[in-house]
């Protein structure tokens, strides 16, 4: 179900310059100032193990406490855990649908909280409904603004592995969840 959302347009977003096919416009709802902060992209399984759930939530929480913004895709599983761990005020959710939509509907409250306190982004028209191909496009936009990519669990043919491919093409550093958590904890 769509609704009218207040959004702004970001023309020629510099955060996405690493992308091969740069969208000319992003729709944004929330605090666009988060784009000016240090960012780490986090991706992973929609059905993570208990270990990965704990690791990613802890990592995102530590990043949030260090004022590092977490970028993820708003999906169930690792994405939602990353957003929740960082806190709605310190996270960017990139949508596979238009900015007026909340997908998946099970994450509606989380996405509404991010729209109010953090930042929602989409390059699709405001009322666009998610399609299978729109997730792949969304994944590239999740990877682009992050300084590095953190990966938590991935099947060989998954969207997470497509994100890894995008990160490699963008020459981004890629970390596994455990390695990253150890690095962040050692900085304290």
């Amino acid at each position: 179900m769509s609704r009218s959302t207040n959004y702004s347009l970001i023309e020629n977003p510099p955060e996405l310059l690493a992308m091969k096919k740069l969208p000319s416009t992003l729709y944004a709802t929330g605090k666009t100032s988060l784009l000016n902060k240090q960012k780490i992209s986090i991706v992973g399984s929609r059905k993570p193990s208990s270990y990965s759930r704990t690791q990613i939530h802890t990592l995102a929480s530590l990043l949030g406490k260090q004022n590092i913004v977490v970028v993820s895709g708003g999906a169930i599983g690792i994405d939602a855990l990353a957003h929740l761990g960082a806190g709605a005020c310190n996270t960017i959710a990139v949508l596979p649908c238009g900015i007026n939509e909340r997908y998946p509907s099970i994450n509606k409250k989380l996405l509404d909280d991010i729209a109010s306190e953090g930042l929602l982004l989409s390059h699709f028209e405001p009322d666009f409904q998610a399609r299978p191909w729109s997730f792949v496009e969304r994944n590239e936009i999740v990877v682009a603004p992050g300084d590095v990519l953190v990966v938590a669990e991935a099947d060989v043919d998954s969207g997470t592995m497509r994100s890894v491919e995008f990160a490699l093409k963008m020459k981004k550093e890629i970390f596994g969840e455990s390695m990253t958590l150890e690095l962040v904890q050692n900085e304290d």
Side-chain angles (χ1 to χ4, degrees):
M1 172 200 258
S2 71
R3 67 187 153 280
S4 177
T5 300
N6 291 326
Y7 58 82
S8 57
L9 293 175
I10 302 171
E11 301 287 335
N12 303 309
E15 297 79 19
L16 305 184
L17 289 176
M19 293 176 62
K20 183 176 180 180
K21 185 179 176 189
L22 181 68
S24 60
T25 303
L26 281 178
Y27 295 88
T29 298
K31 298 177 182 168
T32 57
S33 61
L34 291 178
L35 292 169
N36 300 321
K37 294 185 173 189
Q38 184 179 4
K39 296 170 288 300
I40 291 183
S41 301
I42 299 178
V43 298
S45 173
R46 293 185 181 175
K47 297 178 183 177
S49 66
S50 175
Y51 173 81
S52 288
R53 285 194 300 268
T54 301
Q55 290 287 97
I56 289 301
H57 191 274
T58 302
L59 171 63
S61 178
L62 288 169
L63 292 171
K65 289 174 184 170
Q66 293 182 16
N67 208 26
I68 298 172
V69 174
V70 169
V71 182
S72 200
I76 60 173
I78 293 298
D79 291 7
L81 290 163
H83 294 307
L84 288 166
C89 65
N90 206 40
T91 193
I92 298 171
V94 182
L95 303 175
C97 53
I99 203 84
N100 288 343
E101 303 299 317
R102 297 297 181 262
Y103 185 91
S105 60
I106 195 167
N107 285 350
K108 181 187 179 314
K109 181 180 179 341
L110 172 63
L111 295 170
D112 285 344
D113 289 348
I114 294 170
S116 296
E117 301 173 42
L119 181 62
L120 293 181
L121 293 176
S122 175
H123 76 291
F124 299 108
E125 290 297 316
D127 295 320
F128 176 81
Q129 299 289 313
R131 306 278 190 271
W133 55 266
S134 66
F135 292 89
V136 176
E137 289 188 14
R138 180 270 320 261
N139 291 350
E140 187 174 12
I141 296 173
V142 167
V143 172
D147 297 321
V148 300
L149 176 65
V150 175
V151 179
E153 289 188 46
D155 292 330
V156 174
D157 293 323
S158 66
T160 300
M161 289 309 294
R162 289 298 309 267
S163 297
V164 168
E165 291 171 14
F166 290 132
L168 289 170
K169 288 178 184 172
M170 294 177 200
K171 301 187 183 336
K172 304 247 181 204
E173 286 188 273
I174 302 168
F175 294 93
E177 62 200 85
S178 297
M179 183 178 175
T180 309
L181 184 56
E182 290 172 16
L183 288 172
V184 171
Q185 286 175 328
N186 287 335
E187 288 181 6
D188 287 344

